[in-house]
Amino acid sequence: MGLFNKQDRVLLIPLGGLGEIGKNMMAVECNREILVIDAGLAFPDEDMLGIDLVIPDISYLVDNRERVKGILLTHGHEDHIGALPYVLKQLNVPIYGTKLTLGLAKGKFEEHNMVRDVRTVCVKAGDEVKIGNFSVEFIHVNHSIADVTALAIHTSVGVILHTADFKFDHTPVDGKVTDFRKLAELGDKGVLVLLSDSTNVEREGYTPSERELNKTFNELFVQAPGRILVATFASNIHRVQQIMDTAFHHERKVALVGRSMINVASIAMDLGYLKVPEGLLVDIDEIDRYPANRVAIITTGTQGEPMSALTRMATSDHRKINIVPGDTVLISASTIPGNEKLVARTINHLFKQGATVIYESDSGIHVSGHASQEEQKLMLNLVRPRYFVPVHGEYRHLVQHAHLAVELGIDSENVVIAENGDMIEVTREKIRIASKVASGKVFVDGLGVGDVGNIVLRDRKQLSQDGILIVVVTIDKESSRIVAGPDIVSRGFVYVRESEELIEEAKEKVKQAIENCSQNADWATMKNQIREILGKHLYGRMKRRPMILPIIMEV
Amino acid sequence: MGLFNKQDRVLLIPLGGLGEIGKNMMAVECNREILVIDAGLAFPDEDMLGIDLVIPDISYLVDNRERVKGILLTHGHEDHIGALPYVLKQLNVPIYGTKLTLGLAKGKFEEHNMVRDVRTVCVKAGDEVKIGNFSVEFIHVNHSIADVTALAIHTSVGVILHTADFKFDHTPVDGKVTDFRKLAELGDKGVLVLLSDSTNVEREGYTPSERELNKTFNELFVQAPGRILVATFASNIHRVQQIMDTAFHHERKVALVGRSMINVASIAMDLGYLKVPEGLLVDIDEIDRYPANRVAIITTGTQGEPMSALTRMATSDHRKINIVPGDTVLISASTIPGNEKLVARTINHLFKQGATVIYESDSGIHVSGHASQEEQKLMLNLVRPRYFVPVHGEYRHLVQHAHLAVELGIDSENVVIAENGDMIEVTREKIRIASKVASGKVFVDGLGVGDVGNIVLRDRKQLSQDGILIVVVTIDKESSRIVAGPDIVSRGFVYVRESEELIEEAKEKVKQAIENCSQNADWATMKNQIREILGKHLYGRMKRRPMILPIIMEV
């Protein structure tokens, strides 16, 4: 009945990224020591009104802070490092990552004014590092950013292999292929648990190589009669490299536009990940000195973000660049679910400005950074783990990835579909969800972390739907008589100037509600009366339910 | 210079559906008479907070109401008939449509309690009807609802051919193929302007026949070990027919679930469009009397709508049906842009309940109702119009459809990309955008039509982001001294119980602002002071910008 020494078990505790896309974080616990894999953020859903970012609830780590030995970073994407500034304010532990990953993280620490407080350990693929009783191997994999590592965490119970976000790219832009041999070697020696990226499990076949884009870019750079603008993710350094190389080949000058594009590119250049041919880059202010067909602009805004460079250009709102007929715009990215309408709006605006726009539905200008089904199978077959836990995906992705594993012959009892907060207990004999720890979403709104909760969001929701009606009345403490008001102010409800009659009616209802109250009714009762009577009246008249906020002033 | 008799021109005035998907409406004007094609609604964008529906601005029609001779309905989808109740309250004109279209419209008039006020003229495909000096032919086309007609409007200048929403389905479920011959005949005699559906212009090739789904449905009905639940659009009567036929063939009983499914199916049965095999339908309350593998349920909720039957089932919130392991759920629809996250959420929940879910990324359970590129080309070539105006699509769709026409040899001067409100003037010699009329979005919120405008929406937006802070202070009129307050109440800003300090600080700032004002400052100045000082303070401290609403009560 589960009687075994604590040394004989590993606990895997996902704190983010299971049952969702984003805010990836996984704790690995053995011999009372904890290692954390990644500390990512998520972007808010449309119902998280006013929220800037979402980070994982790390109560479990904070409660056990003396046992946390470090945070391992697989790569430098926001959904893997974005929560670091918030997490490290609560957990003073070293972080381990490759040069580029740490370089990108450092940018965040600078923004948060905490560079000096953070302890970093720079590793490279192939390294093996002792951390407490753990030994961690960093294994090169391909993805849509450079310098990504899977992690083999050696514990006293066995090896935990975490794939990071990965794909198998046989012709990566930098020539560095996923370290098949190390994966095979680990599989050969025996892997206890494989944690593998589920993001693209709905796609059959193989994800094409990043190199495949080369052909399309070349064709488009030849065809384009005027300027070429390519929007892509700033962090996709190999993509940026390919675009620069193509521009160089076709004798176009390149300007970088957009804060994050300039920022990430300069980090990548400094660290040697982006190799810019001499004389290629020009300042955006000088770009007009070259003929249109000698110009390429690399920019951000693939998701139609309202403040991004591309969106501003599309709506003639960019300080330096106006889209003109003859421009060719390539949107070299896929649309993140939830952003479809924003992206469509940007594309429509670009068409209105007269640009030729090449986007998703046209093939060949974007490839994914995540493994498709056949690659996920290859990972499973290279590693042949005893246990399998799909990670990084919404619930349906995890289920489908689990199905894949079972199809390949892994015993379904050895496959666990877990959710954030599950404590997965692994022994040599068995894997099971043993219990639950605190987990969830912590909202970042401005400088506030966690101070906006469900009550505030519920209020924002109601305010957003039908606005607010504020009823102020000043009452004499002694006589309980109204001495001023009721005044009614509304916002987001109706345009008041056109609704005077409505407001007058409402005032009458408020007076009536106050009169209805017995002489010695307390203010709370009186407020409830006002809310109820006025609410019913407005719904009957308009089928709207604004928030009604009675305020009673005593004099 | 444009000198010609007014009889020698037709005006085409799109009031909706150009540069957007939805709220389709087009006015056709000749000899001072106006015919209107369709009166559709659109669903609100995510930034139209609290809005229920969007309808076209029909000021132009209202201003010229004595000249409007009627509204022609192409088919019964919401984006073609949904604005009728609102439009007909302002325009007392007859509406023309086929039996099913009018049947569906009637449901709306009942809801709005206006059945007796509406004059309807029931037509059938093949009819030609005189309306004023116009003569209108109704021409059968295929789409994802039955009884759809394109319109050939004969004017003194020439024929205006409006395709409606269409596809060419060679094997439609009801056997009624698009009336190729009539289209060809019109083309042969000469069509002045073709207005053609652009929705699917981004898709190459042909849209598959509705009949193609038969094979997939059959396979799935054989494989499914337990109950089958099929979600689809209620209005897709041929889809519902196919599902019923498949269920009958495999000896499953069928229950209909969801208000609109029951509603539309009963209209379609009454009117003879849906033929239900005897003994097939059972009441949902009786469905548990049959073994799971003898049951099929047809329901709504393909868009993940929070209140829909499928979403309720997925979240264990449906009164009658719980999803259990063994259930197979088919989502037989595509996701409308903007709904991706809601649909994904529903699918994830269904997986959590243990259902097998077949959805979009799996092929073969949905086909579109709109023509793909090759069908759009076929329409252009059958009709060979003198002028071409792409309709029904976002701006990029209209541009791409225009490109198709030019590729087929139509002179680019004869192709017009128009937007809502453009007045397109067509003579035998020329087509051009001659001027603009009022057009745009009218918001329906509860019972209010048009009373919510941009100011209200802007307020709702601000309220939804950072909430509201209400500052109330009672001031003695004579002395300008504070006699009560300042009180501060917030909603959607921070959870107040945890922020007492913040509120106390804010009160101090308000006092300070009031003291700063000179003795004889008016209330407006004082309010501005409060807003400014408090706003700056809160942004500095929290990086949030709640709405600040100062209210001054005089005693």
Side-chain angles (χ1 to χ4, degrees):
Chain A
M1 303 278 279
L3 272 182
F4 48 80
N5 197 308
K6 291 284 181 198
Q7 274 113 302
D8 293 339
R9 69 173 198 175
V10 179
L11 299 176
L12 302 173
I13 307 163
L15 294 172
L18 273 72
E20 64 181 342
I21 298 286
K23 77 175 175 52
N24 297 292
M25 185 176 232
M26 169 79 76
V28 179
E29 188 168 338
C30 191
N31 298 313
R32 298 192 48 76
E33 291 178 337
I34 299 172
L35 278 184
V36 178
I37 301 170
D38 289 332
L41 60 75
F43 294 102
D45 283 350
E46 65 290 352
D47 56 351
M48 300 172 192
L49 295 166
I51 301 301
D52 300 322
L53 306 172
V54 184
I55 60 174
D57 179 342
I58 58 164
S59 316
Y60 179 77
L61 301 176
V62 172
D63 291 347
N64 296 284
R65 71 175 83 206
E66 74 292 344
R67 304 202 280 116
V68 180
K69 298 304 165 194
I71 300 176
L72 313 171
L73 303 175
T74 60
H75 64 289
H77 275 152
E78 290 290 348
D79 54 338
H80 293 260
I81 66 168
L84 277 177
Y86 307 98
V87 170
L88 291 175
K89 277 172 196 159
Q90 298 182 72
L91 282 181
N92 180 20
V93 298
I95 59 173
Y96 297 79
T98 56
K99 196 166 61 171
L100 180 63
T101 305
L102 292 181
L104 291 167
K106 196 179 156 207
K108 303 192 169 297
F109 302 144
E110 278 163 1
E111 276 172 38
H112 284 256
N113 208 2
M114 57 191 288
V115 176
R116 267 181 297 170
D117 307 324
V118 179
R119 289 177 285 155
T120 60
V121 181
C122 189
V123 298
K124 58 181 195 305
D127 284 357
E128 180 160 358
V129 180
K130 283 282 289 181
I131 309 172
N133 288 307
F134 298 102
S135 173
V136 181
E137 284 182 278
F138 294 83
I139 304 160
H140 184 70
V141 294
N142 301 123
H143 183 45
S144 49
I145 187 171
D147 230 4
V148 185
T149 55
L151 304 167
I153 303 177
H154 296 264
T155 75
S156 56
V157 189
V159 176
I160 311 298
L161 180 57
H162 188 291
T163 65
D165 285 349
F166 81 100
K167 68 190 274 191
F168 288 111
D169 190 336
H170 294 289
T171 53
V173 172
D174 62 358
K176 293 180 184 162
V177 175
T178 292
D179 193 345
F180 291 94
R181 281 186 293 180
K182 174 50 85 179
L183 295 170
E185 181 195 320
L186 286 164
D188 199 40
K189 290 184 185 157
V191 167
L192 187 67
V193 187
L194 173 66
L195 304 160
S196 182
D197 174 16
S198 312
T199 311
N200 266 1
V201 72
E202 292 175 322
R203 302 203 194 169
E204 296 180 355
Y206 294 89
T207 303
S209 169
E210 179 70 25
R211 188 76 61 99
E212 293 280 305
L213 303 182
N214 205 359
K215 192 166 156 270
T216 325
F217 283 141
N218 263 302
E219 279 168 15
L220 292 169
F221 271 66
V222 169
Q223 287 163 16
R227 296 186 303 182
I228 290 181
L229 296 98
V230 190
T232 190
F233 287 115
S235 63
N236 199 335
I237 289 153
H238 293 152
R239 185 80 44 94
V240 173
Q241 182 75 61
Q242 286 203 89
I243 299 161
M244 286 187 172
D245 292 347
T246 312
F248 187 71
H249 181 70
H250 294 285
E251 294 174 14
R252 288 180 185 252
K253 296 287 180 189
V254 169
L256 301 177
V257 176
R259 203 174 62 95
S260 69
M261 183 58 74
I262 292 168
N263 185 20
V264 174
S266 60
I267 292 173
M269 282 186 257
D270 287 350
L271 300 178
Y273 291 90
L274 188 60
K275 290 170 185 71
V276 183
E278 186 142 343
L280 179 74
L281 281 185
V282 296
D283 192 90
I284 189 64
D285 290 319
E286 291 170 23
I287 207 83
D288 286 340
R289 289 167 39 190
Y290 301 89
N293 63 0
R294 298 270 72 88
V295 166
I297 291 166
I298 307 179
T299 187
T300 53
T302 59
Q303 302 305 307
E305 307 93 323
M307 308 303 285
S308 69
L310 186 66
T311 305
R312 285 180 179 281
M313 294 176 203
T315 52
S316 303
D317 185 33
H318 195 274
R319 282 182 310 127
K320 313 226 164 173
I321 300 182
N322 280 309
I323 300 293
V324 293
D327 284 346
T328 301
V329 180
L330 320 184
I331 299 181
S332 178
S334 61
T335 302
I336 295 170
N339 295 340
E340 289 81 0
K341 282 213 162 183
L342 289 174
V343 174
R345 211 170 292 166
T346 298
I347 294 170
N348 285 324
H349 281 298
L350 290 167
F351 268 102
K352 274 195 206 176
Q353 309 285 352
T356 300
V357 191
I358 317 288
Y359 55 100
E360 235 183 323
S361 67
D362 307 86
S363 56
I365 59 163
H366 175 68
V367 296
S368 170
H370 295 275
S372 299
Q373 284 179 11
E374 294 305 311
E375 292 156 278
Q376 291 169 332
K377 290 180 193 168
L378 178 53
M379 181 62 86
L380 279 157
N381 271 335
L382 276 172
V383 176
R384 293 307 291 184
R386 185 172 309 166
Y387 306 118
F388 177 60
V389 180
V391 298
H392 302 176
E394 297 184 23
Y395 198 85
R396 67 181 190 281
H397 301 131
L398 304 181
V399 172
Q400 290 172 67
H401 203 179
H403 285 331
L404 275 193
V406 173
E407 272 173 36
L408 296 192
I410 296 184
D411 192 332
S412 66
E413 286 193 0
N414 292 343
V415 176
V416 166
I417 297 168
E419 292 185 86
N420 295 337
D422 283 339
M423 182 181 269
I424 308 166
E425 184 188 74
V426 190
T427 65
R428 291 197 184 86
E429 290 72 37
K430 197 172 165 187
I431 186 167
R432 64 172 190 136
I433 295 174
S435 65
K436 269 275 189 192
V437 306
S439 74
K441 299 177 205 302
V442 173
F443 300 133
V444 179
D445 181 4
L447 297 182
V449 180
D451 66 336
V452 170
N454 287 332
I455 294 176
V456 173
L457 284 188
R458 204 187 51 203
D459 283 350
R460 287 184 185 171
K461 176 79 182 171
Q462 192 185 354
L463 291 168
S464 77
Q465 292 302 298
D466 286 323
I468 188 169
L469 215 86
I470 300 141
V471 179
V472 194
V473 50
T474 306
I475 290 186
D476 183 81
K477 228 179 304 191
E478 309 295 312
S479 65
S480 290
R481 292 260 166 104
I482 300 175
V483 295
D487 274 10
I488 291 185
V489 183
S490 83
R491 285 292 184 276
F493 173 53
V494 287
Y495 190 46
V496 180
R497 245 187 275 171
E498 290 164 6
S499 311
E500 276 174 40
E501 191 191 334
L502 190 80
I503 298 295
E504 286 310 314
E505 270 176 36
K507 282 185 188 170
E508 281 311 308
K509 291 286 166 187
V510 172
K511 281 185 198 157
Q512 191 184 312
I514 294 173
E515 280 161 20
N516 279 358
C517 290
S518 64
Q519 188 81 30
N520 42 16
D522 58 11
W523 294 159
T525 311
M526 199 176 278
K527 287 179 182 177
N528 279 338
Q529 274 287 323
I530 294 172
R531 255 192 295 262
E532 194 173 311
I533 290 182
L534 192 52
K536 206 176 282 178
H537 173 70
L538 293 173
Y539 188 74
R541 203 170 175 306
M542 317 189 64
K543 293 269 185 296
R544 290 185 202 166
R545 298 190 191 282
M547 182 180 284
I548 295 173
L549 191 64
I551 300 176
I552 296 173
M553 303 286 286
E554 282 184 343
V555 291
Chain B
M1 299 284 276
L3 273 181
F4 47 81
N5 198 308
K6 290 284 181 198
Q7 273 115 300
D8 294 338
R9 69 173 196 175
V10 178
L11 299 175
L12 302 173
I13 308 162
L15 295 172
L18 273 72
E20 64 181 342
I21 298 287
K23 77 173 175 53
N24 297 292
M25 185 176 232
M26 169 78 76
V28 179
E29 188 168 338
C30 191
N31 296 315
R32 298 192 49 76
E33 291 178 336
I34 299 172
L35 277 184
V36 179
I37 301 170
D38 289 332
L41 60 75
F43 294 102
D45 284 350
E46 65 291 351
D47 56 351
M48 300 172 192
L49 294 167
I51 301 302
D52 300 321
L53 306 172
V54 184
I55 60 175
D57 179 341
I58 57 165
S59 317
Y60 180 77
L61 301 178
V62 172
D63 291 348
N64 296 284
R65 69 176 84 205
E66 74 293 344
R67 302 203 282 115
V68 180
K69 299 303 165 195
I71 301 176
L72 313 172
L73 303 175
T74 60
H75 63 290
H77 276 153
E78 290 290 347
D79 54 338
H80 293 260
I81 66 167
L84 276 177
Y86 307 98
V87 170
L88 291 176
K89 278 172 196 159
Q90 297 181 74
L91 282 182
N92 181 20
V93 298
I95 59 174
Y96 298 78
T98 56
K99 195 165 62 171
L100 181 64
T101 306
L102 292 181
L104 291 167
K106 196 179 156 208
K108 300 190 172 300
F109 302 144
E110 278 164 1
E111 276 173 38
H112 285 258
N113 208 1
M114 56 191 289
V115 176
R116 266 180 297 170
D117 307 323
V118 180
R119 288 177 286 155
T120 60
V121 181
C122 190
V123 297
K124 59 182 193 305
D127 284 357
E128 181 160 357
V129 180
K130 282 282 289 179
I131 308 172
N133 288 307
F134 298 103
S135 172
V136 182
E137 285 182 279
F138 293 83
I139 303 160
H140 184 71
V141 294
N142 301 122
H143 184 42
S144 49
I145 186 171
D147 230 6
V148 185
T149 56
L151 305 167
I153 303 176
H154 296 263
T155 74
S156 56
V157 189
V159 175
I160 311 299
L161 180 57
H162 188 290
T163 65
D165 285 350
F166 81 100
K167 67 190 275 190
F168 288 111
D169 190 336
H170 294 288
T171 52
V173 171
D174 63 357
K176 293 180 185 163
V177 175
T178 292
D179 192 347
F180 290 94
R181 282 185 292 179
K182 173 52 82 180
L183 294 171
E185 180 196 319
L186 286 163
D188 200 39
K189 290 184 186 157
V191 166
L192 186 68
V193 187
L194 174 67
L195 306 160
S196 182
D197 174 18
S198 312
T199 311
N200 266 1
V201 71
E202 291 175 323
R203 301 203 195 168
E204 296 181 355
Y206 294 89
T207 303
S209 169
E210 179 71 26
R211 188 76 61 98
E212 292 280 304
L213 303 181
N214 205 358
K215 192 166 156 270
T216 325
F217 284 141
N218 263 302
E219 278 168 15
L220 292 169
F221 271 67
V222 170
Q223 286 163 17
R227 294 186 302 183
I228 291 181
L229 296 98
V230 190
T232 191
F233 287 115
S235 63
N236 199 332
I237 289 151
H238 292 153
R239 185 79 43 93
V240 173
Q241 182 75 61
Q242 286 202 89
I243 299 161
M244 285 186 173
D245 292 347
T246 312
F248 187 71
H249 181 70
H250 294 286
E251 295 174 14
R252 287 180 185 251
K253 296 288 179 186
V254 169
L256 301 177
V257 176
R259 203 173 62 95
S260 69
M261 183 57 74
I262 292 168
N263 185 20
V264 174
S266 60
I267 292 173
M269 283 187 255
D270 287 350
L271 300 179
Y273 291 90
L274 189 60
K275 290 169 185 72
V276 184
E278 185 141 345
L280 179 75
L281 280 185
V282 295
D283 193 89
I284 189 65
D285 290 319
E286 291 170 23
I287 206 86
D288 287 340
R289 289 167 40 191
Y290 301 89
N293 63 359
R294 298 270 71 89
V295 166
I297 291 166
I298 307 179
T299 186
T300 53
T302 60
Q303 302 304 308
E305 307 93 323
M307 307 304 284
S308 69
L310 186 67
T311 305
R312 285 180 178 279
M313 293 175 205
T315 53
S316 303
D317 186 32
H318 195 273
R319 282 182 310 125
K320 312 226 164 171
I321 300 182
N322 280 309
I323 300 292
V324 293
D327 284 346
T328 302
V329 180
L330 319 185
I331 299 181
S332 179
S334 61
T335 302
I336 295 170
N339 296 339
E340 290 81 359
K341 282 212 164 184
L342 289 175
V343 175
R345 211 170 291 166
T346 298
I347 294 171
N348 286 323
H349 281 299
L350 290 168
F351 268 103
K352 275 196 204 174
Q353 309 285 352
T356 301
V357 191
I358 317 288
Y359 55 100
E360 234 183 324
S361 68
D362 308 87
S363 56
I365 58 163
H366 176 67
V367 296
S368 170
H370 295 274
S372 298
Q373 283 179 9
E374 294 306 312
E375 291 155 279
Q376 291 169 332
K377 290 181 194 168
L378 179 53
M379 180 63 85
L380 279 157
N381 271 335
L382 275 172
V383 176
R384 291 310 287 184
R386 185 171 310 165
Y387 305 118
F388 178 60
V389 180
V391 297
H392 301 176
E394 298 183 23
Y395 198 85
R396 66 181 190 280
H397 300 132
L398 305 181
V399 172
Q400 290 173 66
H401 203 179
H403 285 332
L404 275 193
V406 173
E407 273 174 34
L408 296 193
I410 296 184
D411 192 332
S412 66
E413 286 194 0
N414 293 343
V415 177
V416 166
I417 298 168
E419 292 186 85
N420 294 337
D422 283 340
M423 183 181 270
I424 308 166
E425 184 189 74
V426 190
T427 65
R428 291 199 185 85
E429 290 73 37
K430 198 173 165 188
I431 185 168
R432 64 171 189 136
I433 294 173
S435 66
K436 271 274 189 194
V437 306
S439 73
K441 298 175 207 301
V442 172
F443 299 133
V444 179
D445 181 3
L447 297 183
V449 179
D451 65 335
V452 170
N454 286 330
I455 295 175
V456 173
L457 284 187
R458 202 186 53 204
D459 283 350
R460 287 185 185 171
K461 175 80 182 169
Q462 193 185 354
L463 290 168
S464 78
Q465 292 302 298
D466 286 324
I468 187 168
L469 217 85
I470 301 140
V471 179
V472 193
V473 49
T474 307
I475 290 185
D476 183 80
K477 231 179 299 193
E478 309 294 310
S479 63
S480 291
R481 291 259 168 105
I482 298 175
V483 294
D487 273 10
I488 290 185
V489 183
S490 83
R491 286 293 183 277
F493 173 53
V494 287
Y495 190 46
V496 180
R497 243 187 275 172
E498 291 163 5
S499 311
E500 275 174 41
E501 192 190 332
L502 190 80
I503 298 295
E504 285 311 313
E505 273 177 36
K507 283 186 187 170
E508 280 312 307
K509 290 287 165 188
V510 173
K511 281 185 197 158
Q512 192 184 310
I514 294 173
E515 280 160 20
N516 280 357
C517 289
S518 65
Q519 189 82 29
N520 42 16
D522 59 10
W523 295 158
T525 311
M526 199 177 276
K527 286 179 183 178
N528 279 339
Q529 274 287 321
I530 293 172
R531 256 192 294 262
E532 194 172 312
I533 291 183
L534 191 52
K536 206 176 281 176
H537 172 70
L538 293 173
Y539 187 75
R541 203 171 177 302
M542 316 189 64
K543 294 267 185 297
R544 291 185 202 167
R545 298 190 192 281
M547 181 181 283
I548 295 173
L549 191 64
I551 300 176
I552 296 173
M553 303 287 284
E554 283 183 341
V555 289

